[in-house]
Amino acid sequence: MSNNVRLKQGFDINLVGKATESIAKNVDAPKKYALKPEDFPGMIRPKAVVKVGAKVKAGDPILIDGKLDSIKYTSPVSGEIVEIQRGERRKLLAVVVQADGQNEYKEFPVKPVDQISADEAKEVMLESGVWPLLVRRPYAIVADPSDQPRAIFVSAFDSHPLAPNYEFTLKGQESYIQVGIDVLKKFASKVYVGQNGAKPSQIFDGIVGVEKNKFTGPHPAGNVGVQIHHTAPISNVNDVVWTISPEGLAQIGKLFKDGKYDAKRVVAVAGPKADQPEYVETYVGGCVDTIAAAKIKGDNVRVVSGNILTGSKITKDGFLGFYSNMVTALEEGNKSRFFLSDGWLAPITNRLSFHKAFGLLGSTKKEYALDTNTNGQDRPFAVTGAFEKVVPMDIYPMYLLKAILAYDYENMEALGIYEVAEEDLALCEFIDVSKHDIQSIVRQGLDTMRLD
């Protein structure tokens, strides 16, 4: 059984700087890698389980959550622990590994998947470091090993601006993805794969044992939350499902096929300030200093780990996020604009406007070199009815956000808090005339419902 879902709500942000499908030859491998607790929403008491100077292999634990200590967060490479970064009140910020260049792997037991029980598979996944690739809905946090999900969802395409093409980044890894699917079916009877209805997939068309559904329309058609909503929506707080990325499937497959935690990742380096945008081979948590030196031009640049809607700002020697599959480079929008010559009263064609604001004559089909300027500051919520036009879900985003701000538990639940994650309302933040940090509000609501 499969469905073809055509979505009308949404908005495609067309930026210049899409990565060409080639691997960069002029980018050196990073020397440092890090795991950051902030990459894992819901982690309450992160602890470093290694000390500075310790030698580790790829797959050795370096970080745990004090509340769920069965989940190991492991080193992506072999080398030496050179820094444990802490903030105020000794809050753990990152565990940093200096790579030795050998990438020696910790070995994990390998058996044919059909001979492994669910408990055996879970134990290996928890010990090796692949478990955090599983994200739980509701709440969009790392899956609890004690959960019994009714289904697992995979989005086989990414519709974010300048997103990498899985057909390129995962080429040749079909067998690993199939093994990953076979392993996850031990935890849930149904695995759903959401495919791009506009393009065939050489990677996923041959995958078996899943229900495939096709989604067509503008972003956020590729968001797994949107696909869940239109396939088998979450009905209440106890209706647990898991999600995982295609890269995550391949990592699980490598673990059970080769017996090692292979955190290698092909990431896109893209954006208006990227020099000859293309792809780079690295590992999870890699420092972006070598990428910035070779592929990012200029000084007045914001480097984003991830895409422009949901990614995190990092420095040019910062670290790639655990779930990030791209690095985006944009010009910082820190220049004042005179309203008559370059502001809202000027006839402008080089800036994108969802609202078709007066004086903005640009086309939505054109590629734009946007910067980070929000063109305004925080102000009271203006009810425009625009949010519903970019959220292809049967919810009322504005009322949900107001319920979150009012700590109105009953209305948060009634208005769909369990169905959303930050990424599902990221476009609302992009088009918001009131300039609110909507994704932070969504996370506030999810944490409120989870912890209270």
Side-chain angles (χ1 to χ4, degrees), residues 122 131 134-137 143-153 184-191 238-243:
K122 182 183 293 186
W131 188 269
L134 291 168
V135 176
R136 179 198 198 272
R137 298 283 186 112
D144 189 325
S146 64
D147 282 340
Q148 296 293 322
R150 65 164 168 86
I152 297 173
F153 290 81
L184 293 184
K185 289 188 70 176
K186 296 180 182 294
F187 304 111
S189 58
K190 294 281 288 186
V191 176
N238 296 314
D239 188 10
V240 176
V241 301
W242 291 349
T243 71

Side-chain angles (χ1 to χ4, degrees), residues 412-427:
M412 275 193 272
E413 186 169 359
L415 291 166
I417 187 66
Y418 298 134
E419 289 211 68
V420 301
E422 295 96 318
E423 66 175 9
D424 298 318
L425 269 64
L427 273 175

Side-chain angles (χ1 to χ4, degrees), residues 27-31 33 281 289-290:
V27 179
D28 295 330
K31 292 183 172 58
Y33 299 80
E281 288 185 342
D289 55 353
T290 56

Side-chain angles (χ1 to χ4, degrees), residues 147-201:
D147 282 340
Q148 296 293 322
R150 65 164 168 86
I152 297 173
F153 290 81
V154 184
S155 177
F157 70 104
D158 192 337
S159 58
H160 284 97
L162 302 177
N165 181 7
Y166 292 140
E167 300 298 305
F168 177 75
T169 61
L170 296 174
K171 187 176 181 180
Q173 299 191 45
E174 293 87 346
S175 63
Y176 290 126
I177 290 172
Q178 183 64 67
V179 171
I181 292 286
D182 295 340
V183 170
L184 293 184
K185 289 188 70 176
K186 296 180 182 294
F187 304 111
S189 58
K190 294 281 288 186
V191 176
Y192 296 91
V193 173
Q195 293 184 260
N196 188 344
K199 298 178 182 177
S201 171

